[in-house]
Amino acid sequence: MKAHTRVYGTGFVTGEVCVPNERFTKVCDTTDEWIRERSGIQQRYFVREGTATSDLAVDASRKALDDAGWKAEELDYIVVATMTPDYYFPGVGSLVQAKLGLPPIPCLDIRQQCSGFVYGLQVCDALIRAGAAKKLLFIGAEIHSGFMPFSKHGWDVLNGDSDESVTPEEREWNSRFRHLTVLFGDAAGALCVGPTDNPDRGVLGFALHSDGKDATSLYVPSAGFAYRPYFSEEHIREGRYVPFMEGRNVFKMAVTKMPEAIHEVLEKTGLTLDDVKLLIPHQANLRISEGVQKQLKLPDERIYNNIHRYGNTTAATIPIGYDECRKSGKVKQGDLVAFAGLGAGFHWGAALMRE
Ligand code: ACO
């Protein structure tokens, strides 16, 4: 299969406050051991209040532009994958365009959650193949701290600004959501994407799927137009702004569907698993990545994990991992890289790219 689309630069940023697991023990009933054992996470980063997803997206974009040697004003398209936009609407794309001081180029948001990268990369590839874009900025950005149930004081404790315990009532409230809150972090990753004349270098193929029958296994039961009004006092009182997650179902889906999608894209492109130098999976949970690795029988050096440092940053996890691998030399020119993700929707899939 011929490549038409290549990545010319990458960059990422995280929220500014590093929050180790230990701090969570001060706001809810959890332990460092539980979090490490069940998820592999040791720390995550959160933004301070006032920083929005578009801000992280802009900072990551500037790094990717520098890496590519592109000027922001040369960009002719922006695609943003996020499930945590600054506002219910509009999306983040046009906010990034304005903050970068760009002319009114087309901007697009996509909402495929943890599969935002693999879906977004296909959108970028299609836009480039269609001749609609030549210098495209593709961003995966999330600020999950907005859906956390913590009070201002709870945030002070998490941020390390206060040692004063939260009240027993607040601890009880926070503990209702502990299976979910400990997993996520804030970050953005960006890629400069454009056409290539070299058919052997770049994006080679995709295997993408969606099935909405289990959509309510992982969703936000509020802030949507299934409700009238779409957000209410009752929703806040009941904590319905925090995502609902049937963790075990998500786990089962992820370890089944991600390997299937990888096999499918390899078959479509006439390649084999032996050709893959490195798999960079969505970082949902170390146990999920280990499950995928086991199914595919990959040795440790052929799968990349960094969840211990950042937690789950949804659409940003793969761009962050890819940036780290490019810049550390773990991925070199000519290497075949596989990406795979599964997330709310459910949406899942895999992509192949020759570096
Ligand atoms: N600290 C301490 N104990 C906890 C915590 C916590 N943070 N969270 C839950 N527990 C307790 C539960 O209350 C339960 O206690 P009980 O046995 O007394 O009832 C016990 O731990 C086991 O709870 P489960 O929810 O059954 O734990 P499980 O082993 O399934 O692990 C987890 C939970 C880590 C969420 C797991 O289901 C999982 O990894 N699922 C995948 C979901 C995921 O990774 N989502 C990320 C976002 S989606 C995505 O990116 C694809």
Side-chain angles (χ1 to χ4, degrees), residues 29-31 34-35 38-39 114 178-180 182-184 218 245 247-248 250-251 254 282-285 288 312 314 342-344:
D29 297 337
T30 191
T31 60
W34 194 96
I35 303 171
R38 304 289 172 121
S39 73
C114 302
R178 62 184 178 169
H179 61 293
L180 184 116
V182 298
L183 300 178
F184 291 93
L218 180 54
M245 179 176 78
R248 293 195 175 190
V250 176
F251 195 101
H282 164 56
Q283 305 287 299
N285 186 316
I288 289 177
N312 181 349
T314 302
L342 174 133

PDB file of all heavy atoms in Angstrom, residues 29-31 34-35 38-39 114 178-180 182-184 218 245 247-248 250-251 254 282-285 288 312 314 342-344, ligand 1:
ATOM      1  N   ASP A  29     -10.678   7.432  49.470  1.00  0.00           N
ATOM      2  CA  ASP A  29     -10.197   6.155  50.012  1.00  0.00           C
ATOM      3  C   ASP A  29      -9.517   5.363  48.907  1.00  0.00           C
ATOM      4  O   ASP A  29     -10.170   4.638  48.157  1.00  0.00           O
ATOM      5  CB  ASP A  29     -11.372   5.334  50.574  1.00  0.00           C
ATOM      6  CG  ASP A  29     -12.036   6.042  51.741  1.00  0.00           C
ATOM      7  OD1 ASP A  29     -11.352   6.892  52.367  1.00  0.00           O
ATOM      8  OD2 ASP A  29     -13.222   5.772  52.007  1.00  0.00           O
ATOM      9  N   THR A  30      -8.237   5.533  48.789  1.00  0.00           N
ATOM     10  CA  THR A  30      -7.471   4.757  47.819  1.00  0.00           C
ATOM     11  C   THR A  30      -6.055   4.614  48.335  1.00  0.00           C
ATOM     12  O   THR A  30      -5.707   5.208  49.369  1.00  0.00           O
ATOM     13  CB  THR A  30      -7.504   5.416  46.423  1.00  0.00           C
ATOM     14  OG1 THR A  30      -6.969   4.502  45.465  1.00  0.00           O
ATOM     15  CG2 THR A  30      -6.696   6.719  46.358  1.00  0.00           C
ATOM     16  N   THR A  31      -5.264   3.815  47.630  1.00  0.00           N
ATOM     17  CA  THR A  31      -3.854   3.660  48.018  1.00  0.00           C
ATOM     18  C   THR A  31      -3.000   3.695  46.755  1.00  0.00           C
ATOM     19  O   THR A  31      -3.474   3.363  45.661  1.00  0.00           O
ATOM     20  CB  THR A  31      -3.608   2.307  48.723  1.00  0.00           C
ATOM     21  OG1 THR A  31      -3.966   1.264  47.790  1.00  0.00           O
ATOM     22  CG2 THR A  31      -4.412   2.159  50.003  1.00  0.00           C
ATOM     23  N   TRP A  34      -3.000   0.229  45.207  1.00  0.00           N
ATOM     24  CA  TRP A  34      -4.178  -0.133  44.411  1.00  0.00           C
ATOM     25  C   TRP A  34      -4.065   0.468  43.010  1.00  0.00           C
ATOM     26  O   TRP A  34      -4.265  -0.206  42.011  1.00  0.00           O
ATOM     27  CB  TRP A  34      -5.481   0.344  45.075  1.00  0.00           C
ATOM     28  CG  TRP A  34      -6.722  -0.296  44.482  1.00  0.00           C
ATOM     29  CD1 TRP A  34      -7.373  -1.393  44.954  1.00  0.00           C
ATOM     30  CD2 TRP A  34      -7.418   0.112  43.298  1.00  0.00           C
ATOM     31  NE1 TRP A  34      -8.448  -1.695  44.133  1.00  0.00           N
ATOM     32  CE2 TRP A  34      -8.489  -0.789  43.109  1.00  0.00           C
ATOM     33  CE3 TRP A  34      -7.252   1.129  42.366  1.00  0.00           C
ATOM     34  CZ2 TRP A  34      -9.389  -0.692  42.045  1.00  0.00           C
ATOM     35  CZ3 TRP A  34      -8.138   1.230  41.293  1.00  0.00           C
ATOM     36  CH2 TRP A  34      -9.199   0.322  41.144  1.00  0.00           C
ATOM     37  N   ILE A  35      -3.716   1.740  42.978  1.00  0.00           N
ATOM     38  CA  ILE A  35      -3.671   2.428  41.675  1.00  0.00           C
ATOM     39  C   ILE A  35      -2.579   1.806  40.790  1.00  0.00           C
ATOM     40  O   ILE A  35      -2.803   1.521  39.616  1.00  0.00           O
ATOM     41  CB  ILE A  35      -3.446   3.946  41.854  1.00  0.00           C
ATOM     42  CG1 ILE A  35      -4.540   4.555  42.736  1.00  0.00           C
ATOM     43  CG2 ILE A  35      -3.399   4.644  40.504  1.00  0.00           C
ATOM     44  CD1 ILE A  35      -4.285   6.003  43.148  1.00  0.00           C
ATOM     45  N   ARG A  38      -3.646  -1.901  39.732  1.00  0.00           N
ATOM     46  CA  ARG A  38      -4.772  -2.039  38.796  1.00  0.00           C
ATOM     47  C   ARG A  38      -4.561  -1.284  37.487  1.00  0.00           C
ATOM     48  O   ARG A  38      -5.202  -1.589  36.496  1.00  0.00           O
ATOM     49  CB  ARG A  38      -6.082  -1.516  39.409  1.00  0.00           C
ATOM     50  CG  ARG A  38      -6.473  -2.133  40.705  1.00  0.00           C
ATOM     51  CD  ARG A  38      -6.916  -3.568  40.526  1.00  0.00           C
ATOM     52  NE  ARG A  38      -7.115  -4.182  41.828  1.00  0.00           N
ATOM     53  CZ  ARG A  38      -8.251  -4.697  42.232  1.00  0.00           C
ATOM     54  NH1 ARG A  38      -9.293  -4.705  41.444  1.00  0.00           N
ATOM     55  NH2 ARG A  38      -8.340  -5.225  43.424  1.00  0.00           N
ATOM     56  N   SER A  39      -3.711  -0.232  37.512  1.00  0.00           N
ATOM     57  CA  SER A  39      -3.616   0.601  36.304  1.00  0.00           C
ATOM     58  C   SER A  39      -2.193   0.875  35.837  1.00  0.00           C
ATOM     59  O   SER A  39      -1.995   1.312  34.708  1.00  0.00           O
ATOM     60  CB  SER A  39      -4.291   1.955  36.578  1.00  0.00           C
ATOM     61  OG  SER A  39      -3.482   2.739  37.443  1.00  0.00           O
ATOM     62  N   CYS A 114     -11.030   7.929  23.214  1.00  0.00           N
ATOM     63  CA  CYS A 114      -9.706   7.289  23.252  1.00  0.00           C
ATOM     64  C   CYS A 114      -9.262   6.772  21.881  1.00  0.00           C
ATOM     65  O   CYS A 114      -8.103   6.400  21.702  1.00  0.00           O
ATOM     66  CB  CYS A 114      -9.708   6.147  24.255  1.00  0.00           C
ATOM     67  SG  CYS A 114     -10.146   6.736  25.892  1.00  0.00           S
ATOM     68  N   ARG A 178     -13.798   7.029  42.848  1.00  0.00           N
ATOM     69  CA  ARG A 178     -12.348   6.762  42.897  1.00  0.00           C
ATOM     70  C   ARG A 178     -11.863   5.810  41.814  1.00  0.00           C
ATOM     71  O   ARG A 178     -10.711   5.874  41.385  1.00  0.00           O
ATOM     72  CB  ARG A 178     -11.975   6.194  44.274  1.00  0.00           C
ATOM     73  CG  ARG A 178     -12.661   4.870  44.553  1.00  0.00           C
ATOM     74  CD  ARG A 178     -12.359   4.366  45.936  1.00  0.00           C
ATOM     75  NE  ARG A 178     -13.071   3.106  46.171  1.00  0.00           N
ATOM     76  CZ  ARG A 178     -12.871   2.305  47.170  1.00  0.00           C
ATOM     77  NH1 ARG A 178     -11.986   2.633  48.091  1.00  0.00           N
ATOM     78  NH2 ARG A 178     -13.556   1.194  47.307  1.00  0.00           N
ATOM     79  N   HIS A 179     -12.737   4.876  41.364  1.00  0.00           N
ATOM     80  CA  HIS A 179     -12.311   3.906  40.341  1.00  0.00           C
ATOM     81  C   HIS A 179     -11.990   4.610  39.027  1.00  0.00           C
ATOM     82  O   HIS A 179     -11.319   4.071  38.166  1.00  0.00           O
ATOM     83  CB  HIS A 179     -13.419   2.863  40.105  1.00  0.00           C
ATOM     84  CG  HIS A 179     -14.687   3.480  39.605  1.00  0.00           C
ATOM     85  ND1 HIS A 179     -15.453   4.321  40.386  1.00  0.00           N
ATOM     86  CD2 HIS A 179     -15.289   3.431  38.393  1.00  0.00           C
ATOM     87  CE1 HIS A 179     -16.490   4.737  39.673  1.00  0.00           C
ATOM     88  NE2 HIS A 179     -16.406   4.226  38.468  1.00  0.00           N
ATOM     89  N   LEU A 180     -12.518   5.849  38.865  1.00  0.00           N
ATOM     90  CA  LEU A 180     -12.364   6.581  37.613  1.00  0.00           C
ATOM     91  C   LEU A 180     -11.385   7.747  37.728  1.00  0.00           C
ATOM     92  O   LEU A 180     -10.512   7.940  36.885  1.00  0.00           O
ATOM     93  CB  LEU A 180     -13.752   7.111  37.189  1.00  0.00           C
ATOM     94  CG  LEU A 180     -13.736   7.803  35.858  1.00  0.00           C
ATOM     95  CD1 LEU A 180     -14.598   7.051  34.863  1.00  0.00           C
ATOM     96  CD2 LEU A 180     -14.217   9.236  35.962  1.00  0.00           C
ATOM     97  N   VAL A 182      -8.809   8.349  39.535  1.00  0.00           N
ATOM     98  CA  VAL A 182      -7.370   8.079  39.658  1.00  0.00           C
ATOM     99  C   VAL A 182      -6.715   7.766  38.304  1.00  0.00           C
ATOM    100  O   VAL A 182      -5.494   7.749  38.209  1.00  0.00           O
ATOM    101  CB  VAL A 182      -7.091   6.919  40.652  1.00  0.00           C
ATOM    102  CG1 VAL A 182      -7.581   7.275  42.040  1.00  0.00           C
ATOM    103  CG2 VAL A 182      -7.705   5.607  40.178  1.00  0.00           C
ATOM    104  N   LEU A 183      -7.543   7.507  37.290  1.00  0.00           N
ATOM    105  CA  LEU A 183      -6.983   7.040  36.017  1.00  0.00           C
ATOM    106  C   LEU A 183      -6.539   8.149  35.065  1.00  0.00           C
ATOM    107  O   LEU A 183      -5.722   7.909  34.179  1.00  0.00           O
ATOM    108  CB  LEU A 183      -8.014   6.174  35.270  1.00  0.00           C
ATOM    109  CG  LEU A 183      -8.524   4.905  35.962  1.00  0.00           C
ATOM    110  CD1 LEU A 183      -9.575   4.221  35.076  1.00  0.00           C
ATOM    111  CD2 LEU A 183      -7.384   3.948  36.255  1.00  0.00           C
ATOM    112  N   PHE A 184      -7.112   9.364  35.214  1.00  0.00           N
ATOM    113  CA  PHE A 184      -6.961  10.352  34.137  1.00  0.00           C
ATOM    114  C   PHE A 184      -5.986  11.483  34.432  1.00  0.00           C
ATOM    115  O   PHE A 184      -5.743  11.824  35.592  1.00  0.00           O
ATOM    116  CB  PHE A 184      -8.332  10.959  33.804  1.00  0.00           C
ATOM    117  CG  PHE A 184      -9.261   9.978  33.148  1.00  0.00           C
ATOM    118  CD1 PHE A 184     -10.148   9.224  33.901  1.00  0.00           C
ATOM    119  CD2 PHE A 184      -9.217   9.784  31.773  1.00  0.00           C
ATOM    120  CE1 PHE A 184     -10.992   8.309  33.299  1.00  0.00           C
ATOM    121  CE2 PHE A 184     -10.058   8.865  31.161  1.00  0.00           C
ATOM    122  CZ  PHE A 184     -10.953   8.129  31.926  1.00  0.00           C
ATOM    123  N   LEU A 218     -19.638   3.464  29.048  1.00  0.00           N
ATOM    124  CA  LEU A 218     -18.668   4.520  29.340  1.00  0.00           C
ATOM    125  C   LEU A 218     -19.207   5.797  28.721  1.00  0.00           C
ATOM    126  O   LEU A 218     -19.148   5.976  27.496  1.00  0.00           O
ATOM    127  CB  LEU A 218     -17.296   4.138  28.742  1.00  0.00           C
ATOM    128  CG  LEU A 218     -16.150   5.127  28.942  1.00  0.00           C
ATOM    129  CD1 LEU A 218     -15.956   5.471  30.410  1.00  0.00           C
ATOM    130  CD2 LEU A 218     -14.856   4.560  28.370  1.00  0.00           C
ATOM    131  N   MET A 245     -18.589   4.584  34.231  1.00  0.00           N
ATOM    132  CA  MET A 245     -17.754   3.588  33.539  1.00  0.00           C
ATOM    133  C   MET A 245     -17.946   2.202  34.127  1.00  0.00           C
ATOM    134  O   MET A 245     -17.790   2.014  35.327  1.00  0.00           O
ATOM    135  CB  MET A 245     -16.276   3.989  33.671  1.00  0.00           C
ATOM    136  CG  MET A 245     -15.315   3.016  33.003  1.00  0.00           C
ATOM    137  SD  MET A 245     -13.604   3.581  33.081  1.00  0.00           S
ATOM    138  CE  MET A 245     -13.191   3.149  34.761  1.00  0.00           C
ATOM    139  N   GLY A 247     -16.006  -0.491  34.301  1.00  0.00           N
ATOM    140  CA  GLY A 247     -14.580  -0.752  34.054  1.00  0.00           C
ATOM    141  C   GLY A 247     -14.295  -2.110  33.454  1.00  0.00           C
ATOM    142  O   GLY A 247     -13.488  -2.237  32.527  1.00  0.00           O
ATOM    143  N   ARG A 248     -14.977  -3.126  33.948  1.00  0.00           N
ATOM    144  CA  ARG A 248     -14.654  -4.487  33.476  1.00  0.00           C
ATOM    145  C   ARG A 248     -15.059  -4.700  32.020  1.00  0.00           C
ATOM    146  O   ARG A 248     -14.383  -5.404  31.279  1.00  0.00           O
ATOM    147  CB  ARG A 248     -15.314  -5.521  34.373  1.00  0.00           C
ATOM    148  CG  ARG A 248     -14.657  -5.442  35.725  1.00  0.00           C
ATOM    149  CD  ARG A 248     -14.937  -6.599  36.595  1.00  0.00           C
ATOM    150  NE  ARG A 248     -14.143  -6.412  37.793  1.00  0.00           N
ATOM    151  CZ  ARG A 248     -13.978  -7.317  38.727  1.00  0.00           C
ATOM    152  NH1 ARG A 248     -14.556  -8.471  38.605  1.00  0.00           N
ATOM    153  NH2 ARG A 248     -13.243  -7.055  39.785  1.00  0.00           N
ATOM    154  N   VAL A 250     -15.213  -2.279  29.744  1.00  0.00           N
ATOM    155  CA  VAL A 250     -14.244  -1.526  28.937  1.00  0.00           C
ATOM    156  C   VAL A 250     -12.969  -2.364  28.783  1.00  0.00           C
ATOM    157  O   VAL A 250     -12.414  -2.491  27.687  1.00  0.00           O
ATOM    158  CB  VAL A 250     -13.902  -0.169  29.607  1.00  0.00           C
ATOM    159  CG1 VAL A 250     -12.830   0.567  28.825  1.00  0.00           C
ATOM    160  CG2 VAL A 250     -15.144   0.697  29.762  1.00  0.00           C
ATOM    161  N   PHE A 251     -12.536  -2.941  29.877  1.00  0.00           N
ATOM    162  CA  PHE A 251     -11.319  -3.761  29.878  1.00  0.00           C
ATOM    163  C   PHE A 251     -11.436  -4.914  28.868  1.00  0.00           C
ATOM    164  O   PHE A 251     -10.568  -5.119  28.024  1.00  0.00           O
ATOM    165  CB  PHE A 251     -11.100  -4.309  31.291  1.00  0.00           C
ATOM    166  CG  PHE A 251      -9.728  -4.852  31.515  1.00  0.00           C
ATOM    167  CD1 PHE A 251      -8.780  -4.096  32.192  1.00  0.00           C
ATOM    168  CD2 PHE A 251      -9.363  -6.109  31.053  1.00  0.00           C
ATOM    169  CE1 PHE A 251      -7.493  -4.588  32.396  1.00  0.00           C
ATOM    170  CE2 PHE A 251      -8.090  -6.604  31.247  1.00  0.00           C
ATOM    171  CZ  PHE A 251      -7.148  -5.835  31.930  1.00  0.00           C
ATOM    172  N   ALA A 254     -11.425  -3.723  25.280  1.00  0.00           N
ATOM    173  CA  ALA A 254     -10.120  -3.226  24.840  1.00  0.00           C
ATOM    174  C   ALA A 254      -9.161  -4.368  24.506  1.00  0.00           C
ATOM    175  O   ALA A 254      -8.497  -4.349  23.467  1.00  0.00           O
ATOM    176  CB  ALA A 254      -9.517  -2.317  25.907  1.00  0.00           C
ATOM    177  N   HIS A 282      -3.071   3.092  22.692  1.00  0.00           N
ATOM    178  CA  HIS A 282      -3.695   4.068  23.589  1.00  0.00           C
ATOM    179  C   HIS A 282      -3.389   3.652  25.023  1.00  0.00           C
ATOM    180  O   HIS A 282      -3.459   2.468  25.368  1.00  0.00           O
ATOM    181  CB  HIS A 282      -5.200   4.097  23.337  1.00  0.00           C
ATOM    182  CG  HIS A 282      -5.950   4.768  24.441  1.00  0.00           C
ATOM    183  ND1 HIS A 282      -5.664   6.044  24.823  1.00  0.00           N
ATOM    184  CD2 HIS A 282      -6.944   4.320  25.262  1.00  0.00           C
ATOM    185  CE1 HIS A 282      -6.450   6.376  25.841  1.00  0.00           C
ATOM    186  NE2 HIS A 282      -7.240   5.342  26.120  1.00  0.00           N
ATOM    187  N   GLN A 283      -3.043   4.620  25.864  1.00  0.00           N
ATOM    188  CA  GLN A 283      -2.656   4.316  27.249  1.00  0.00           C
ATOM    189  C   GLN A 283      -3.876   4.473  28.163  1.00  0.00           C
ATOM    190  O   GLN A 283      -4.104   5.540  28.746  1.00  0.00           O
ATOM    191  CB  GLN A 283      -1.542   5.265  27.693  1.00  0.00           C
ATOM    192  CG  GLN A 283      -0.329   5.245  26.773  1.00  0.00           C
ATOM    193  CD  GLN A 283       0.505   3.980  26.915  1.00  0.00           C
ATOM    194  OE1 GLN A 283       1.022   3.703  27.986  1.00  0.00           O
ATOM    195  NE2 GLN A 283       0.640   3.219  25.835  1.00  0.00           N
ATOM    196  N   ALA A 284      -4.693   3.402  28.231  1.00  0.00           N
ATOM    197  CA  ALA A 284      -5.892   3.446  29.081  1.00  0.00           C
ATOM    198  C   ALA A 284      -5.537   2.920  30.454  1.00  0.00           C
ATOM    199  O   ALA A 284      -6.045   3.397  31.468  1.00  0.00           O
ATOM    200  CB  ALA A 284      -6.987   2.578  28.496  1.00  0.00           C
ATOM    201  N   ASN A 285      -4.672   1.925  30.449  1.00  0.00           N
ATOM    202  CA  ASN A 285      -4.409   1.168  31.653  1.00  0.00           C
ATOM    203  C   ASN A 285      -3.289   0.194  31.302  1.00  0.00           C
ATOM    204  O   ASN A 285      -3.350  -0.469  30.269  1.00  0.00           O
ATOM    205  CB  ASN A 285      -5.701   0.407  31.992  1.00  0.00           C
ATOM    206  CG  ASN A 285      -5.618  -0.311  33.296  1.00  0.00           C
ATOM    207  OD1 ASN A 285      -4.615  -0.953  33.584  1.00  0.00           O
ATOM    208  ND2 ASN A 285      -6.662  -0.242  34.076  1.00  0.00           N
ATOM    209  N   ILE A 288      -4.385  -3.253  30.429  1.00  0.00           N
ATOM    210  CA  ILE A 288      -4.961  -3.430  29.089  1.00  0.00           C
ATOM    211  C   ILE A 288      -3.824  -3.608  28.082  1.00  0.00           C
ATOM    212  O   ILE A 288      -3.848  -4.529  27.255  1.00  0.00           O
ATOM    213  CB  ILE A 288      -5.858  -2.227  28.714  1.00  0.00           C
ATOM    214  CG1 ILE A 288      -7.144  -2.246  29.554  1.00  0.00           C
ATOM    215  CG2 ILE A 288      -6.191  -2.232  27.217  1.00  0.00           C
ATOM    216  CD1 ILE A 288      -8.075  -1.066  29.331  1.00  0.00           C
ATOM    217  N   ASN A 312      -4.107   8.282  31.990  1.00  0.00           N
ATOM    218  CA  ASN A 312      -4.841   8.199  30.725  1.00  0.00           C
ATOM    219  C   ASN A 312      -5.196   9.619  30.275  1.00  0.00           C
ATOM    220  O   ASN A 312      -5.955  10.300  30.955  1.00  0.00           O
ATOM    221  CB  ASN A 312      -6.097   7.352  30.946  1.00  0.00           C
ATOM    222  CG  ASN A 312      -6.914   7.178  29.672  1.00  0.00           C
ATOM    223  OD1 ASN A 312      -6.682   7.832  28.663  1.00  0.00           O
ATOM    224  ND2 ASN A 312      -7.892   6.280  29.737  1.00  0.00           N
ATOM    225  N   THR A 314      -6.578  10.238  27.239  1.00  0.00           N
ATOM    226  CA  THR A 314      -7.541  10.022  26.150  1.00  0.00           C
ATOM    227  C   THR A 314      -6.921  10.309  24.770  1.00  0.00           C
ATOM    228  O   THR A 314      -6.016   9.609  24.366  1.00  0.00           O
ATOM    229  CB  THR A 314      -8.837  10.798  26.452  1.00  0.00           C
ATOM    230  OG1 THR A 314      -9.321  10.322  27.723  1.00  0.00           O
ATOM    231  CG2 THR A 314      -9.954  10.559  25.443  1.00  0.00           C
ATOM    232  N   LEU A 342      -9.017   1.996  21.803  1.00  0.00           N
ATOM    233  CA  LEU A 342     -10.445   1.713  21.973  1.00  0.00           C
ATOM    234  C   LEU A 342     -10.971   2.675  23.021  1.00  0.00           C
ATOM    235  O   LEU A 342     -10.277   2.968  24.000  1.00  0.00           O
ATOM    236  CB  LEU A 342     -10.686   0.281  22.448  1.00  0.00           C
ATOM    237  CG  LEU A 342     -12.161  -0.005  22.784  1.00  0.00           C
ATOM    238  CD1 LEU A 342     -12.635  -1.323  22.162  1.00  0.00           C
ATOM    239  CD2 LEU A 342     -12.425  -0.025  24.300  1.00  0.00           C
ATOM    240  N   GLY A 343     -12.156   3.202  22.786  1.00  0.00           N
ATOM    241  CA  GLY A 343     -12.711   4.114  23.787  1.00  0.00           C
ATOM    242  C   GLY A 343     -14.209   4.247  23.680  1.00  0.00           C
ATOM    243  O   GLY A 343     -14.870   3.557  22.872  1.00  0.00           O
ATOM    244  N   ALA A 344     -14.735   5.149  24.486  1.00  0.00           N
ATOM    245  CA  ALA A 344     -16.175   5.344  24.606  1.00  0.00           C
ATOM    246  C   ALA A 344     -16.808   5.479  23.232  1.00  0.00           C
ATOM    247  O   ALA A 344     -16.276   6.106  22.330  1.00  0.00           O
ATOM    248  CB  ALA A 344     -16.453   6.585  25.444  1.00  0.00           C
TER     249      ALA A 344
HETATM  250  N1  ACO B   1      -8.794   2.668  45.226  1.00  0.00           N
HETATM  251  C1  ACO B   1      -9.038   1.622  46.029  1.00  0.00           C
HETATM  252  N2  ACO B   1     -10.027   0.742  45.785  1.00  0.00           N
HETATM  253  C2  ACO B   1     -10.776   0.928  44.690  1.00  0.00           C
HETATM  254  C3  ACO B   1     -10.560   2.006  43.811  1.00  0.00           C
HETATM  255  C4  ACO B   1      -9.523   2.900  44.104  1.00  0.00           C
HETATM  256  N3  ACO B   1      -9.214   3.957  43.329  1.00  0.00           N
HETATM  257  N4  ACO B   1     -11.454   1.924  42.797  1.00  0.00           N
HETATM  258  C5  ACO B   1     -12.219   0.836  43.035  1.00  0.00           C
HETATM  259  N5  ACO B   1     -11.800   0.222  44.164  1.00  0.00           N
HETATM  260  C6  ACO B   1     -12.336  -0.974  44.810  1.00  0.00           C
HETATM  261  C7  ACO B   1     -13.774  -1.228  44.470  1.00  0.00           C
HETATM  262  O1  ACO B   1     -14.625  -0.488  45.302  1.00  0.00           O
HETATM  263  C8  ACO B   1     -13.878  -2.692  44.690  1.00  0.00           C
HETATM  264  O2  ACO B   1     -14.012  -2.946  46.066  1.00  0.00           O
HETATM  265  P1  ACO B   1     -14.940  -4.160  46.601  1.00  0.00           P
HETATM  266  O3  ACO B   1     -14.313  -5.392  46.056  1.00  0.00           O
HETATM  267  O4  ACO B   1     -14.823  -4.002  48.083  1.00  0.00           O
HETATM  268  O5  ACO B   1     -16.296  -3.899  46.046  1.00  0.00           O
HETATM  269  C9  ACO B   1     -12.521  -3.223  44.251  1.00  0.00           C
HETATM  270  O6  ACO B   1     -11.641  -2.105  44.291  1.00  0.00           O
HETATM  271  C10 ACO B   1     -12.547  -3.790  42.855  1.00  0.00           C
HETATM  272  O7  ACO B   1     -13.251  -2.870  42.024  1.00  0.00           O
HETATM  273  P2  ACO B   1     -13.489  -3.099  40.519  1.00  0.00           P
HETATM  274  O8  ACO B   1     -14.120  -1.896  39.901  1.00  0.00           O
HETATM  275  O9  ACO B   1     -14.153  -4.414  40.337  1.00  0.00           O
HETATM  276  O10 ACO B   1     -11.966  -3.188  40.099  1.00  0.00           O
HETATM  277  P3  ACO B   1     -11.321  -3.759  38.811  1.00  0.00           P
HETATM  278  O11 ACO B   1     -10.428  -4.854  39.196  1.00  0.00           O
HETATM  279  O12 ACO B   1     -12.282  -3.979  37.693  1.00  0.00           O
HETATM  280  O13 ACO B   1     -10.422  -2.515  38.418  1.00  0.00           O
HETATM  281  C11 ACO B   1     -10.413  -0.719  36.828  1.00  0.00           C
HETATM  282  C12 ACO B   1     -11.021  -1.270  38.107  1.00  0.00           C
HETATM  283  C13 ACO B   1      -8.942  -0.414  37.083  1.00  0.00           C
HETATM  284  C14 ACO B   1     -11.141   0.549  36.428  1.00  0.00           C
HETATM  285  C15 ACO B   1     -10.540  -1.808  35.736  1.00  0.00           C
HETATM  286  O14 ACO B   1     -11.855  -2.246  35.620  1.00  0.00           O
HETATM  287  C16 ACO B   1     -10.068  -1.329  34.409  1.00  0.00           C
HETATM  288  O15 ACO B   1      -8.899  -1.142  34.192  1.00  0.00           O
HETATM  289  N6  ACO B   1     -10.995  -1.129  33.461  1.00  0.00           N
HETATM  290  C17 ACO B   1     -10.668  -0.525  32.209  1.00  0.00           C
HETATM  291  C18 ACO B   1     -11.171   0.839  32.271  1.00  0.00           C
HETATM  292  C19 ACO B   1     -10.179   1.864  31.880  1.00  0.00           C
HETATM  293  O16 ACO B   1      -8.998   1.683  31.803  1.00  0.00           O
HETATM  294  N7  ACO B   1     -10.734   3.011  31.610  1.00  0.00           N
HETATM  295  C20 ACO B   1      -9.963   4.115  31.214  1.00  0.00           C
HETATM  296  C21 ACO B   1     -10.816   5.026  30.413  1.00  0.00           C
HETATM  297  S1  ACO B   1     -11.507   4.270  29.049  1.00  0.00           S
HETATM  298  C22 ACO B   1     -10.336   4.060  27.948  1.00  0.00           C
HETATM  299  O17 ACO B   1      -9.359   4.778  27.896  1.00  0.00           O
HETATM  300  C23 ACO B   1     -10.465   2.933  27.030  1.00  0.00           C
END
